[in-house]
Amino acid sequence: MAASDGCLANLGSGAIRTGSMAVTIGTSAAVRICSDKAYTDPLMQTFCYILDEKTYIVGGPSNNGAVIFEWLMNTFFANEEYDVVFKEASTIKPGSDGLLFYPYLLGERAPLWSSEVRGGFSGLDIQHTRPHFARAVMEGILLNLSSIAKAMLEMHNIDTIFANGGFAKSPIWVQMLADIFGKKVVLNETVETGAAGAAMMALKALGVYKNYSEMSAFTLVGQEFDADPAVHKQYKALCDRFIKGSKLMLAHAV
C-alpha cells in the first residue's frame, strides 16, 4: 500500500530530514513535518500519518488556501492578471497598514476545527486601497498556516521550509512565507513533489535503493528565499494578534 498525497509531498520535496518542514498551498493548504515517533496533540490541532514503518508525518490541514485568493480575484479583480495584483500587493508594507484578514471563508480545519467559523477583515479604515486588500489576503492565508505550524514548531527546531503548490508560482508570496515564518524557504525544481515521492517509495520497496537519502536526485532545489529578520520581527507581532483574533472569530461562530 502506498501513502497519502501529503506524506508523499514531504518525501518528494526532501522535507523528511530533521529540521525541515513542508508547506503546501494549493486550493487547500497544509503544514507538515517528519518525525521518527508518532505524535498526538492533546488539543487535537494536528494529524499524524504513517509514511513508512519508520517515518511519521505530523501536520495540520487548512480549508483556506489559494482558493481564497481566487475568490478575491474573481470578486474584485475579475479583469486583472494575477501577476499584476501580486505586484500591486508588493507595494504595500508588511502588515498591510493595519488591515488584517481571517481567511475562514470555508470554515476551518486545523487549528480551529469548526465548520461554522467564518472569515473577515479587521482594522479597516479609509486609507486602505485595492493593493491593501490583496496583500492582506495573501498575509492572512500565511498567518493562518503559521498558527497551524505553532504546535509543530514547539516539537522541533526548523531551519528550512520546502514550499509547493500553486502559490509557489509567485515569488512575492513565497518571500512573504519566508518572512512570516522567519525561515529559509526552498522550491524544488519540480512542482510534482507528490509524484516524486511515490516514485521514491516504489524504488525503496523494490530494493533499487535502501534508503531515501540515496535518492537526492529526486529532490533537487531550484530556488531559495531567505527571511528578512526585520520584516519577520514585524510579522511575529502580527501572528500573535492573528491568533487572538482567530479565537474571537471562533467564539462568535454561529
Side-chain angles (χ1 to χ4, degrees):
M1 186 178 290
S4 66
D5 56 351
C7 291
L8 292 174
N10 268 62
L11 177 59
S13 65
I16 61 167
R17 70 164 178 81
T18 302
S20 65
M21 170 182 281
V23 172
T24 302
I25 307 178
T27 300
S28 57
V31 181
R32 302 177 302 273
I33 62 170
C34 177
S35 174
D36 59 358
K37 297 179 181 178
Y39 173 80
T40 53
D41 181 0
L43 299 178
M44 297 173 63
Q45 299 173 101
T46 59
F47 57 65
C48 184
Y49 295 152
I50 295 176
L51 175 65
D52 61 23
E53 66 276 10
K54 296 180 180 180
T55 313
Y56 297 87
I57 302 297
V58 181
S62 169
N63 291 344
N64 302 286
V67 67
I68 304 304
F69 197 82
E70 183 181 14
W71 161 81
L72 180 83
M73 292 292 295
N74 292 339
T75 307
F76 300 106
F77 299 91
N79 298 318
E80 302 283 357
E81 296 292 330
Y82 275 75
D83 286 344
V84 172
V85 178
F86 288 142
K87 188 173 181 180
E88 284 187 21
S90 71
T91 66
I92 304 301
K93 295 183 295 184
S96 302
D97 290 318
L99 184 63
L100 186 59
F101 177 63
Y102 298 92
Y104 309 129
L105 275 61
L106 296 169
E108 189 52 297
R109 287 180 286 173
L112 304 181
W113 297 104
S114 170
S115 61
E116 304 299 330
V117 69
R118 287 296 179 265
F121 291 91
S122 70
L124 176 63
D125 65 32
I126 203 166
Q127 71 168 319
H128 293 127
T129 60
R130 283 189 1 150
H132 284 94
F133 283 92
R135 185 177 187 102
V137 169
M138 295 166 73
E139 289 177 335
I141 293 168
L142 295 176
L143 289 168
N144 186 45
L145 292 179
S146 177
S147 73
I148 295 171
K150 189 172 184 292
M152 284 160 271
L153 291 171
E154 291 171 353
M155 293 169 53
H156 295 282
N157 292 319
I158 303 299
D159 55 53
T160 303
I161 294 173
F162 290 82
N164 48 68
F167 99 108
K169 296 177 182 178
S170 168
I172 294 167
W173 212 350
V174 177
Q175 182 61 52
M176 205 178 288
L177 171 65
D179 292 335
I180 287 175
F181 278 69
K183 310 293 181 184
K184 178 174 70 175
V185 174
V186 300
L187 304 181
N188 296 94
E189 286 193 349
T190 176
V191 297
E192 301 295 343
T193 52
M200 292 169 70
M201 178 169 276
L203 289 168
K204 182 173 179 286
L206 291 169
V208 178
Y209 294 98
K210 291 183 178 180
N211 300 296
Y212 297 128
S213 59
E214 300 173 25
M215 296 181 248
S216 58
F218 282 83
T219 59
L220 296 178
V221 171
Q223 288 180 276
E224 296 187 2
F225 297 77
D226 291 318
D228 183 321
V231 176
H232 173 61
K233 186 176 180 180
Q234 297 176 53
Y235 276 131
K236 189 174 181 181
L238 193 60
C239 285
D240 293 339
R241 180 182 156 203
F242 180 91
I243 290 173
K244 290 179 182 177
S246 67
K247 292 178 180 177
L248 290 174
M249 301 291 279
L250 181 61
H252 287 85
V254 176

